[in-house]
Amino acid sequence: QPLTARVLLERHAAKPVAAVLEQKLPPVWDYTPTRDSFNIELVVHVPPQLIQIVPTAAEVLKFAWMQVMSFAIPVWMVLHSLKAFVF
């Protein structure tokens, strides 16, 4: 299934993750509903996770073709120049 924001949030909601809010300072805003928006600063610590990427056959063949051509073209140019010099 494709990775969308909805799928990502559903996967995250299925995990047993807890968030703890610690109020270290007293609130500095008023509770009157006069403002339409507010600013929030959020620090999230995400532990490192192992991600395994398996390339498709087309990606492997494309990379192999690029490797072959990056070797074959310079070799062909050198041999062509050498042949022109010798003969």
Side-chain angles (χ1 to χ4, degrees), residues 60-77:
V60 172
L61 290 173
K62 182 186 82 167
F63 182 71
W65 179 250
M66 290 178 0
Q67 294 291 315
V68 167
M69 293 312 294
S70 67
F71 177 75
I73 290 175
V75 168
W76 177 80
M77 291 174 67

Side-chain angles (χ1 to χ4, degrees), residues 6-72:
R6 178 187 215 72
V7 172
L8 189 62
L9 289 174
E10 287 174 355
R11 286 182 190 172
H12 181 69
K15 294 180 182 180
V17 177
V20 178
L21 176 63
E22 252 183 66
Q23 188 172 356
K24 296 181 181 181
L25 300 173
V28 293
W29 61 84
D30 57 355
Y31 294 101
T32 57
T34 57
R35 295 186 180 151
D36 293 333
S37 64
F38 61 92
N39 294 332
I40 186 169
E41 182 178 334
L42 181 67
V43 178
V44 179
H45 297 282
V46 179
Q49 298 178 7
L50 180 63
I51 299 174
Q52 184 177 8
I53 299 174
V54 180
T56 62
E59 291 176 6
V60 172
L61 290 173
K62 182 186 82 167
F63 182 71
W65 179 250
M66 290 178 0
Q67 294 291 315
V68 167
M69 293 312 294
S70 67
F71 177 75

